[in-house]
Amino acid sequence: MMSRGVICVQGRELCETLVNEAVRLGADEAEVCYTRSRKLEVMFEKNDLQVPKGDHYEGIGIRVIRDSKQGFASTNILSRESLDDTLRCALAIASASPPDLNHWLPEPSKITPVSEIYDQAAEDLELQEAVLRGKLLVEAARGFDSRVTVDSAAFGVETGTKFIVNSKGVQAGEDSSYIWCVGMGFARDGEDVSSFDAEYVVSCRLHDIDPQAVGRRLAERVVKSLGAASVPGFKGSVILTPYAGLDLLIEPFVFSINAENVQNGQSQWKGKLGSRVSSPLLSITDDPTLPAQAGSTAFDREGVPTKPLAILERGVLNHYLYNCYTARKDGLESNGHAVGTDQQVPGIGVTNLVVAPGEISFEDMIAGISRGLVVNRYSGSVDPVSGDFSGAVKGGQYIESAKIVRPVKEVMIAGNIYELIRRIIAVSKEVITLGNVSLPYVAIDGCSITGK
């Protein structure tokens, strides 16, 4: 196996060679993105092991700008002939594209490495060990309660190297690892079938992943939702767990702060910088510097250094997310939020979103609600443009007289998320990290709840 040091040198040298060749052939500016990765994943269905999957990937994406016109092409065949064809293809696309003065590449800036985002143990993990770790999840769920069925589960690792080199002098390289463990399942007690549920954890460090804990948490949740019944419709308070918050809070939030959506007039928060857009209980930071977190990185897809960004502070909107193109349109510098792979031109996205915790416990949140609902998972639509949503509550629990009374089923919730986040009444001090998002429980008043 080729050493990682050799991979780094070869990847950087390949990028430099292609950038120089692009300029020689007439590009005003050129950028090359190189990635190399190894992926290993074992999967289980209906408690049984499926065929494991593993692959190695190596690819190059070439972006050129000539006469303010942009061209891009990519390949995962790194032969001399293929690379030459890819470069010439990018140049040809640029020649045929309309000019746009907002196309530009960044100048080099100091990049500070992020700690603990690469784990050699993940690189060294072999198939047999991955299978054993996946089985631990299934066995833990089944061992918790025999009524539990693990519909599907997976344990996987991906390690890789990426480089961004451009003709202005940017040279950025980074190694990373990504380990995930996920289980999905339900519980059955005779004719009573629980809600389908999921549990997962991801990290950059192998020792952070506890498959048995994932299996136990999954089993506990699906067993808890046995014996569910519907409730009459009402308008009241809902507590969104972090799992439901991903769909109902985070997705529209990320959409609304994307500078491209703002510039296209699709964001509800266009022209709202410096304004209050939510309850003062809500603060959200994007932080790429967190050790061992899934979204951490020292630089973005364009080689721009990343840094923490307090996007929402006590309900006040402070920032939109920019890559170089959208920043130039607004007369700004990129704030390091270009995302993507070697297979595409840079888009816009987040790194690690951190929703600040509150000062109240989850139990005390429940004690403050006379009638409401805990929404464990949400299954339905959320229109990020309008904010309107409507969907089914999964694994929900009915609150009455400040206590959880019973699990619920056949219950829907609806409303407008941009209006409801102004009516947040509590944020928990407990926080759960799901992938690259850290979320507390969030209680919102005035949500429409429909039952039977």
Side-chain angles (χ1 to χ4, degrees):
M1 179 181 294
M2 191 181 300
S3 74
R4 183 155 295 273
V6 172
I7 292 171
C8 291
V9 171
Q10 291 187 344
R12 184 180 66 250
E13 289 179 348
L14 180 57
C15 290
E16 291 171 350
T17 298
L18 288 169
V19 164
N20 292 335
E21 182 67 6
V23 172
R24 188 186 71 80
L25 291 174
D28 299 321
E29 301 178 40
E31 169 203 84
V32 176
C33 175
Y34 166 88
T35 62
R36 181 186 176 104
S37 65
R38 167 191 179 255
K39 183 177 179 180
L40 179 65
E41 183 176 37
V42 295
M43 300 188 67
F44 297 79
E45 291 184 4
K46 298 294 189 295
N47 305 320
D48 292 328
L49 176 66
Q50 304 301 299
V51 177
K53 296 187 295 184
D55 63 69
H56 290 78
Y57 174 82
E58 192 173 21
I60 284 279
I62 304 173
R63 183 160 58 127
V64 297
I65 300 171
R66 181 162 60 183
D67 299 328
S68 299
K69 298 185 287 187
Q70 178 174 274
F72 176 82
S74 65
T75 182
N76 61 357
I77 302 173
L78 303 191
S79 67
R80 184 70 262 171
E81 181 181 6
S82 176
L83 292 171
D84 287 344
D85 288 345
T86 303
L87 174 55
R88 294 180 185 280
C89 182
L91 289 163
I93 292 172
S95 296
S97 298
D100 188 333
L101 294 176
N102 297 306
H103 290 309
W104 68 289
L105 299 179
E107 303 283 348
S109 299
K110 181 181 178 181
I111 294 174
T112 303
V114 181
S115 64
E116 299 185 85
I117 60 171
Y118 172 72
D119 186 359
Q120 184 65 45
E123 183 82 52
D124 297 337
L125 189 75
E126 296 183 353
L127 176 60
Q128 184 178 3
E129 178 62 24
V131 170
L132 291 175
R133 289 174 182 261
K135 287 178 64 177
L136 288 175
L137 184 158
V138 176
E139 292 170 354
R142 295 282 294 158
F144 180 87
D145 195 307
S146 60
R147 294 172 294 177
V148 174
T149 293
V150 179
D151 186 75
S152 63
F155 181 90
V157 299
E158 183 169 2
T159 55
T161 297
K162 66 177 181 180
F163 273 101
I164 304 289
V165 174
N166 77 20
S167 55
K168 291 184 173 180
V170 167
Q171 290 197 1
E174 188 173 68
D175 295 332
S176 63
S177 53
Y178 183 80
I179 306 100
W180 64 96
C181 184
V182 57
M184 293 175 280
F186 60 92
R188 179 190 294 273
D189 190 352
E191 297 298 315
D192 184 13
V193 181
S194 76
S195 293
F196 192 86
D197 215 328
E199 177 69 33
Y200 65 97
V201 63
V202 302
S203 178
C204 298
R205 298 179 300 207
L206 187 61
H207 66 74
D208 287 343
I209 307 295
D210 185 347
Q212 290 177 307
V214 174
R216 286 192 298 269
R217 290 196 298 268
L218 172 64
E220 184 177 4
R221 286 221 305 274
V222 295
V223 168
K224 189 181 293 184
S225 67
L226 286 170
S230 190
V231 294
F234 64 98
K235 195 164 188 175
S237 300
V238 298
I239 297 177
L240 302 179
T241 70
Y243 301 90
L246 280 177
D247 295 322
L248 284 171
L249 292 177
I250 298 303
E251 286 190 13
F253 172 79
V254 171
F255 180 90
S256 296
I257 60 175
N258 183 314
E260 183 176 0
N261 297 329
V262 175
Q263 292 167 354
N264 291 339
Q266 293 182 300
S267 170
Q268 287 280 328
W269 293 345
K270 181 177 181 178
K272 296 292 182 68
L273 288 180
S275 302
R276 191 176 301 283
V277 296
S278 78
S279 160
L281 294 175
L282 195 61
S283 296
I284 304 178
T285 298
D286 188 65
D287 191 348
T289 67
L290 298 175
Q293 293 298 299
S296 293
T297 181
F299 57 91
D300 73 358
R301 168 60 177 81
E302 296 176 303
V304 175
T306 56
K307 60 182 179 181
L309 201 65
I311 300 169
L312 197 67
E313 287 188 287
R314 297 187 59 79
V316 175
L317 181 65
N318 292 329
H319 300 280
Y320 300 130
L321 305 185
Y322 288 99
N323 59 11
C324 285
Y325 179 81
T326 53
R328 177 62 63 89
K329 289 183 75 172
D330 281 355
L332 302 170
E333 295 291 323
S334 169
N335 55 16
H337 284 86
V339 298
T341 69
D342 61 282
Q343 300 175 49
Q344 58 201 182
V345 294
I348 298 173
V350 298
T351 58
N352 297 305
L353 280 183
V354 180
V355 181
E359 298 178 353
I360 185 173
S361 69
F362 175 53
E363 289 184 357
D364 287 340
M365 289 173 70
I366 294 170
I369 295 174
S370 58
R371 191 182 189 199
L373 207 65
V374 176
V375 181
N376 181 46
R377 285 176 50 247
Y378 171 78
S379 177
S381 62
V382 184
D383 183 347
V385 178
S386 69
D388 293 334
F389 69 90
S390 177
V393 174
K394 299 294 185 181
Q397 296 169 303
Y398 180 54
I399 301 172
E400 192 173 63
S401 300
K403 294 181 179 179
I404 290 178
V405 178
R406 62 179 178 273
V408 299
K409 64 179 180 181
E410 299 175 337
V411 172
M412 306 277 289
I413 57 173
N416 183 283
I417 195 60
Y418 297 119
E419 295 174 5
L420 289 177
I421 61 173
R422 292 180 176 272
R423 300 205 291 268
I424 292 174
I425 56 176
V427 175
S428 76
K429 59 185 178 182
E430 298 96 337
V431 172
I432 295 176
T433 298
L434 302 171
N436 66 330
V437 180
S438 296
L439 272 162
Y441 296 81
V442 177
I444 301 176
D445 196 26
C447 187
S448 296
I449 299 162
T450 304
K452 286 190 175 181

